[in-house]
Amino acid sequence: MTATPGTEPLLRIQDLTVSFPTEDGLVQAVREVSFDVYPGEVVAIVGESGSGKSVTAMSIMRLHPKGAQMEGQILFDGTDILSLSEKEMRALRGDDIAMIFQDPMTALNPVFTVGDQIAEMIVTHRSIKRGEAMSMAEDLLGKVGVPEASTRINQYPHEFSGGMRQRAMIAMAIANEPKLLIADEPTTALDVTIQAQVMEVVRDVRELTGAAMLLITHDLGLVAGAADRIQVMYAGQIFERGTTNEIFYESQNPYTRGLMHSIPRVDYVGTRLTPIPGAPPSVLALPAGCAFRPRCTHAAEICREQPATLEHFGPTPTHMTRCHFAAELPPLEGARA
């Protein structure tokens, strides 16, 4: 979906900077990140490991380790999350905002049954009895495609397959019909077939609940048919943003193009993938100028001397890119979607 004129964003992040104390001093893992998520839409944050995607997601949930410093604003339904007390934040988590974690085996408690854990999520936020909550848990497992839900609610996480555990996590996330779902790498530990099934479940439950979704992933291919808008992150910053079509067909950023050229395609059988050279920089020692400069084939002296700013590109206000040479990049070959 696209934002309806006059509609207020459900989530608005403004100039978010997240820093962590280390032996070498304070390190900025996220730097001045801003974006909106409107009611009912899917926004994806894409980038390599260490780009700041999950740190951004954890900031919304206020789940960073003690000592983390957050600056800027995270407005949810008009309320600044960073100003809430821990008690107020606990009431928000799992109710209006829910998260699907990337590793259900560590997110689920191994000593409680799956049904007990889903029911606990419901009882914590609603004034209903345990028996009714267990019935709701069984219904939720059925909705996310877990077979024989009446039996499965009495089983423990280790008795579920990887795909089933992720479905259980999704059931927990939608238990209280949240306004915003955050899916943090929801298919990372799964094989390709199960990935597709889980993403189908995520799409189905989002449509069922009407929730907006923030989808965190390193895989641009995963978001092609799932997201309305995409934010591409690198070294803690947004390097490009736009609608899904703008990113896949009109990208004007070398890093985004590098991610796309490394995606396997069935119509490119027999051709080599083009990996991005080198590795992402450590946030402890970011290069001077543009953070992507050491890996960029278009880099010039200005890229060393001056960081690029995130600026509008093209005819629409939705497309923005961070590159000194955005206007000089050749047309994107082999548009991908």
Side-chain angles (χ1 to χ4, degrees):
M1 64 160 286
T2 54
T4 303
T7 301
E8 287 296 314
L10 177 66
L11 176 72
R12 168 160 284 176
I13 294 180
Q14 294 181 312
D15 298 323
L16 177 66
T17 296
V18 184
S19 306
F20 297 97
T22 71
E23 293 180 355
D24 298 309
L26 207 60
V27 172
Q28 291 184 341
V30 170
R31 299 180 288 152
E32 298 182 342
V33 164
S34 301
F35 63 89
D36 297 335
V37 179
Y38 286 84
E41 78 166 345
V42 179
V43 174
I45 301 181
V46 179
E48 294 169 287
S49 296
S51 62
K53 310 182 305 295
S54 292
V55 173
T56 301
M58 290 296 186
S59 299
I60 299 167
M61 298 295 284
R62 288 257 304 269
L63 290 175
H64 287 313
K66 195 172 182 180
Q69 298 180 17
M70 291 186 284
E71 302 172 32
Q73 283 189 320
I74 303 176
L75 300 172
F76 178 76
D77 249 358
T79 299
D80 189 356
I81 285 176
L82 300 185
S83 69
L84 297 180
S85 67
E86 183 54 33
K87 181 179 179 181
E88 291 170 326
M89 199 62 217
R90 281 198 302 268
L92 194 65
R93 292 190 202 108
D95 190 10
D96 286 332
I97 306 176
M99 193 162 188
I100 304 167
F101 294 92
Q102 61 179 288
D103 186 0
M105 202 57 186
T106 57
L108 293 169
N109 193 319
V111 301
F112 291 99
T113 66
V114 170
D116 279 334
Q117 295 183 63
I118 298 173
E120 182 67 23
M121 177 71 77
I122 298 168
V123 170
T124 299
H125 296 282
R126 300 191 192 184
S127 300
I128 62 175
K129 295 181 179 179
R130 191 81 182 182
E132 184 181 349
M134 286 296 286
S135 295
M136 292 174 65
E138 180 181 336
D139 181 57
L140 284 164
L141 284 179
K143 285 180 179 177
V144 297
V146 174
E148 301 178 355
S150 59
T151 301
R152 292 287 189 174
I153 62 168
N154 297 314
Q155 293 182 334
Y156 292 86
H158 74 270
E159 298 179 275
F160 277 43
S161 67
M164 288 299 177
R165 282 194 292 268
Q166 196 58 281
R167 289 169 189 259
M169 281 294 303
I170 295 170
M172 289 180 66
I174 65 170
N176 293 305
E177 299 181 354
K179 296 178 181 178
L180 175 66
L181 274 172
I182 302 174
D184 185 13
E185 300 274 11
T187 63
T188 293
L190 306 175
D191 64 47
V192 175
T193 303
I194 304 301
Q195 281 185 13
Q197 294 175 2
V198 168
M199 284 305 298
E200 185 176 355
V201 170
V202 170
R203 284 192 291 268
D204 289 346
V205 298
R206 191 191 67 78
E207 291 176 3
L208 180 69
T209 61
M213 185 167 74
L214 189 62
L215 176 60
I216 314 294
T217 181
H218 64 276
D219 185 356
L220 257 176
L222 194 69
V223 305
D228 298 301
R229 292 187 292 119
I230 298 173
Q231 320 277 333
V232 180
M233 286 192 72
Y234 184 79
Q237 294 180 307
I238 292 177
F239 262 54
E240 190 168 26
R241 67 155 54 104
T243 65
T244 300
N245 281 344
E246 286 169 340
I247 295 299
F248 278 90
Y249 292 98
E250 302 167 19
S251 171
Q252 290 299 127
N253 189 279
Y255 177 59
T256 306
R257 291 186 175 195
L259 290 178
M260 286 193 288
H261 290 147
S262 63
I263 301 172
R265 288 181 56 170
V266 294
D267 56 338
Y268 273 45
V269 174
T271 62
R272 288 183 177 272
L273 297 177
T274 307
I276 302 173
S282 166
V283 290
L284 289 168
L286 291 172
C290 175
F292 188 58
R293 172 184 53 78
R295 308 172 70 191
C296 183
T297 56
H298 300 276
E301 190 59 31
I302 189 175
C303 304
R304 182 189 299 275
E305 297 173 350
Q306 183 179 331
T309 56
L310 190 65
E311 297 181 353
H312 286 99
F313 185 89
T316 69
T318 52
H319 195 183
M320 302 182 73
T321 188
R322 186 186 300 274
C323 180
H324 289 297
F325 299 103
E328 300 174 28
L329 294 180
L332 187 62
E333 295 181 7
R336 296 171 171 243

